[in-house]
């Protein structure tokens, strides 16, 4: 279905029913699968045949949905995970071992920042954070001989900085490492990072892809373009025999198109078990079928709200790359010409106290640790998702104490503006 347009892939990608088969993706709610002989099952364990034996590793429903997202992003292989955080961890840990190094944009989701800066550091994996607006020379200086990948977000959560994907891709490939892009906010409807040089794309499918706050999930998509064997010394996990899995050398047996996802499934999912449920995958697919319609409305609502905020004297600043005059407007137009997302960041005059007072006064828009939902919600990141970061780390990530992250849902934009207006009137 690669020649089909994105709207068609959202609706029909990943699954084509045969004669008399279910029109909707079936929920295979089974942990195990029966085989006639041990030899048949043995072929699965040897990765000599395709099939299923235990849903911790793979499940048909999950694979159908992963295949749809793979088509949408233009990749060669994909897998679902139990959360977006698991997708980020699997992606890094699949190629970065003890002693390895990551170069990452500093403007990323707080949980991912903590994963790279704290948790993975305890595993012997170090990370250098760079300003996404850095010069090519500054970006180049962040690499070390141990660097194994570069990480960034298409649209940073919650700073909303737009990443110059080509700049980061050029630097990564110059140093012989893949570029990993978290494309959660843009979605493949508005941006397909692989077309701009990214090698691996991740998602928190909990957000726009699900779109209804119904199921936590994540996804990893491999472009199939990175030549692992060309840098075999740098990636022994993919390019030398895996003693824990019958001595298979993933890059040789499955090539560039399948090595990364096969290793992540056969090794990491096997050992760490961050597997999605078939029911969650089914709900995710329902969300994907309307993603191309919903994301446009999210963007339209956000643009209307951003224009209102930009003209309000109780707002100190507004960050929304769809707003003409925004610092990232031109970059957004380059990578996302049809729109960005439905999330706005803005500062309330009066700082942290004023921001919290504003949020308490909202009636329609809910305070939630969530984003990219059909229902509008907001959050004060410095006091919640990024609470674990120091003031210096917050500033490096583009987060100030007065920042409010607003996710515009699918309601009428006039109702959202009226709610914001009355809440601002509560600020002295």
């Amino acid at each position: 279905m690669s020649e089909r347009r994105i709207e068609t892939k959202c609706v029909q990608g990943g699954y084509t029913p045969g004669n008399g088969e279910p029109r909707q993706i079936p929920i295979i709610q089974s942990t195990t699968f029966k085989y006639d002989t041990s030899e048949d099952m043995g072929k699965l364990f040897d990765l000599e045949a395709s099939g299923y034996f235990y849903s911790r590793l793979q499940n048909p429903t999950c694979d159908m949905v992963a295949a749809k997202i793979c088509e949408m992003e233009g990749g060669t292989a994909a897998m679902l995970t139990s959360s977006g955080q698991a997708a980020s961890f699997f992606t890094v840990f699949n190629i970065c071992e003890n002693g390895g190094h990551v170069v990452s944009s500093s403007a990323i989701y707080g949980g991912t920042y903590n994963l790279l800066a704290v948790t993975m550091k305890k595993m012997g994996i170090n990370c250098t954070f760079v300003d996404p607006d850095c010069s090519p020379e500054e970006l180049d200086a962040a690499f070390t001989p141990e660097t194994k990948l570069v990480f960034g977000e298409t649209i940073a959560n919650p700073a909303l900085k737009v990443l110059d994907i080509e700049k980061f891709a050029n630097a990564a490939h110059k140093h012989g490492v893949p570029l990993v892009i978290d494309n959660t906010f843009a979605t493949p409807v508005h941006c397909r990072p692989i077309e701009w040089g990214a090698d691996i794309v991740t998602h928190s499918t909990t957000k726009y892809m699900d779109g209804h706050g119904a199921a936590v999930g994540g996804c990893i998509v491999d472009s199939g373009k990175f030549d692992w064997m060309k840098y075999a010394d740098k990636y022994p996990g993919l390019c030398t025999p895996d003693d824990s899995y019958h001595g298979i050398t993933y890059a040789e047996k499955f090539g560039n198109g399948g090595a990364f996802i096969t290793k992540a499934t056969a090794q990491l999912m096997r050992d760490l078990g961050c597997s999605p449920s078939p029911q969650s995958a089914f709900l995710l697919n329902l969300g994907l079928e309307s993603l191309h319609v919903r994301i446009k409305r999210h963007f339209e609502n956000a643009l209307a709200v951003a224009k209102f905020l930009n003209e309000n004297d109780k707002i100190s600043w507004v960050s929304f790359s769809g707003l003409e005059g925004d610092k990232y407007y031109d970059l957004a137009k380059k990578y996302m010409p049809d729109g960005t997302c439905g999330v706005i960041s803005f500062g309330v005059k009066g700082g942290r106290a004023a921001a919290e007072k504003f949020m308490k006064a909202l009636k329609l828009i809910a305070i939630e640790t969530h984003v990219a939902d059909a229902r509008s919600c907001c959050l004060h990141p410095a006091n919640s998702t990024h609470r674990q970061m120091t003031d210096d780390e917050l500033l490096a990530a583009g987060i100030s104490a007065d920042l409010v992250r607003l996710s515009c849902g699918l309601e009428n934009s006039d109702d959202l503006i009226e709610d914001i207006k009355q809440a601002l009137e509560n600020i002295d």
Side-chain angles (χ1 to χ4, degrees):
M1 196 180 265
S2 60
E3 73 282 0
R4 302 280 171 81
R5 292 166 179 80
I6 189 66
E7 295 86 353
T8 304
K9 292 177 181 179
C10 285
V11 178
Q12 295 204 28
Y15 172 65
T16 303
N19 188 42
E21 292 183 344
R23 188 65 189 89
Q24 179 57 275
I25 287 177
I27 304 174
I28 310 299
Q29 193 68 48
S30 180
T31 60
T32 50
F33 302 83
K34 179 258 185 187
Y35 287 90
D36 291 335
T37 69
S38 293
E39 288 78 12
D40 289 336
M41 185 171 285
K43 292 177 182 177
L44 299 177
F45 277 91
D46 288 341
L47 301 180
E48 296 292 343
S50 61
Y52 304 91
F53 52 84
Y54 196 54
S55 282
R56 186 179 80 239
L57 280 86
Q58 287 180 284
N59 173 278
T61 305
C62 298
D63 281 359
M64 292 174 201
V65 181
K68 173 178 283 191
I69 298 173
C70 189
E71 287 183 20
M72 292 166 65
E73 285 288 6
T76 57
M79 65 186 294
L80 298 187
T81 60
S82 57
S83 67
Q85 191 76 335
S88 296
F89 174 67
F90 271 33
T91 299
V92 175
F93 198 55
N94 202 37
I95 55 178
C96 203
E97 301 176 357
N98 186 358
H101 176 256
V102 176
V103 173
S104 174
S105 165
S106 60
I108 56 176
Y109 168 59
T112 309
Y113 186 98
N114 194 71
L115 172 69
L116 294 172
V118 180
T119 303
M120 299 200 81
K121 186 175 182 180
K122 296 176 182 178
M123 303 168 72
I125 298 170
N126 295 307
C127 182
T128 297
F129 293 96
V130 296
D131 188 324
D133 301 328
C134 66
S135 68
E137 293 74 23
E138 290 170 327
L139 180 55
D140 189 65
F143 287 80
T144 76
E146 299 304 321
T147 301
K148 299 296 191 293
L149 65 96
V150 178
F151 183 89
E153 295 179 2
T154 311
I155 304 173
N157 176 15
L160 300 184
K161 294 185 177 184
V162 176
L163 192 76
D164 189 341
I165 301 173
E166 284 190 313
K167 178 179 73 175
F168 275 72
N170 290 337
H173 298 155
K174 175 183 176 182
H175 290 271
V177 302
L179 172 63
V180 178
I181 294 292
D182 182 330
N183 196 34
T184 296
F185 270 17
T187 82
V189 174
H190 279 165
C191 182
R192 289 174 289 282
I194 290 171
E195 296 176 0
W196 297 99
D199 300 287
I200 298 164
V201 175
T202 64
H203 286 276
S204 170
T205 61
T206 317
K207 310 304 189 298
Y208 286 119
M209 286 186 165
D210 172 279
H212 299 85
V216 175
C219 186
I220 308 169
V221 180
D222 184 12
S223 71
K225 294 182 178 181
F226 192 80
D227 190 348
W228 303 106
M229 290 303 294
K230 182 178 179 180
Y231 307 100
D233 291 344
K234 191 173 292 187
Y235 301 104
L238 283 156
C239 302
T240 59
D242 179 4
D243 293 335
S244 76
Y245 216 105
H246 316 298
I248 285 175
T249 300
Y250 296 100
E252 288 182 351
K253 187 172 181 64
F254 301 101
N256 295 338
F260 185 87
I261 295 297
T262 302
K263 178 179 181 292
T265 301
Q267 189 183 88
L268 299 188
M269 193 64 83
R270 174 198 66 192
D271 294 345
L272 300 173
C274 301
S275 50
S277 76
Q279 180 70 47
S280 293
F282 177 83
L283 293 172
L284 167 58
N285 186 62
L286 292 179
L288 290 171
E289 289 180 353
S290 64
L291 177 62
H292 60 293
V293 179
R294 290 184 291 104
I295 194 67
K296 293 178 182 178
R297 178 58 178 267
H298 283 294
F299 174 71
E300 290 169 359
N301 278 354
L303 182 58
V305 171
K307 288 179 178 179
F308 166 78
L309 290 169
N310 201 42
E311 297 173 357
N312 192 285
D313 59 7
K314 292 190 176 183
I315 300 299
S316 53
W317 57 270
V318 178
S319 178
F320 181 66
S321 57
L323 192 64
E324 200 164 351
D326 185 87
K327 177 180 179 180
Y328 296 98
Y329 180 80
D330 291 336
L331 205 57
K333 281 295 182 183
K334 172 183 177 179
Y335 293 115
M336 295 162 279
D338 296 326
T340 54
C341 65
V343 183
I344 307 167
S345 287
F346 59 93
V348 181
K349 288 183 180 178
R352 185 188 294 261
E356 292 180 348
K357 189 172 184 179
F358 159 75
M359 290 173 62
K360 287 180 182 178
L362 291 168
K363 297 178 180 178
L364 178 65
I365 301 168
I367 300 174
E368 299 177 7
T369 308
H370 192 40
V371 71
D373 195 319
R375 295 158 292 265
S376 293
C377 59
C378 67
L379 190 73
H380 186 228
N383 199 39
S384 54
T385 54
H386 292 63
R387 190 184 185 95
Q388 75 281 5
M389 297 170 68
T390 66
D391 288 346
D392 289 341
E393 290 171 339
L394 285 170
L395 289 175
I399 299 163
S400 54
D402 64 343
L403 187 154
V404 173
R405 184 187 71 184
L406 171 63
S407 176
C408 295
L410 302 179
E411 305 91 347
N412 184 287
S413 61
D414 289 338
D415 288 334
L416 297 179
I417 290 171
E418 287 176 8
D419 190 35
I420 294 168
K421 184 178 181 180
Q422 66 83 23
L424 288 172
E425 290 172 353
N426 281 271
I427 301 174
D428 298 328

